[in-house]
Amino acid sequence: PRLQELGSHLLLTVHDELISEAPDDVTNDVREIKRELMGDSYRWGPIDLTYPVPIDPDGSIAKRWSEAK
């Protein structure tokens, strides 16, 4: 819901990559929300698990997927 409120739409998932589009003025906000959600993915739902390895996802912003790497 938070991403949808910003006008972001998920276009594609490739393994552990989430490719989405969003208006230019909210791209940094969308990137930070996605990093937060991917880093805390084990805390979704009613059970709070402790993951033994820290997850620190990165993110990039580009007009084309090939430029985001």
Side-chain angles (χ1 to χ4, degrees):
R2 290 170 39 195
L3 295 172
Q4 290 174 341
E5 290 170 2
L6 294 173
S8 177
H9 303 281
L10 183 65
L11 299 176
L12 181 67
T13 60
V14 179
H15 301 289
D16 61 347
E17 296 182 29
L18 302 177
I19 293 88
S20 60
E21 64 180 1
D24 288 341
D25 61 329
V26 297
T27 53
N28 287 322
D29 296 333
V30 169
R31 177 179 54 192
E32 291 309 310
I33 291 170
K34 287 170 60 174
R35 288 187 70 214
E36 175 189 329
L37 293 173
M38 290 181 75
D40 288 339
S41 60
Y42 56 93
R43 292 189 184 165
W44 289 8
I47 300 172
D48 186 7
L49 302 174
T50 301
Y51 197 68
V53 178
I55 300 172
D56 185 23
D58 62 356
S60 58
I61 298 171
K63 293 288 184 184
R64 291 172 190 77
W65 183 23
S66 61
E67 298 171 359
K69 303 252 173 190

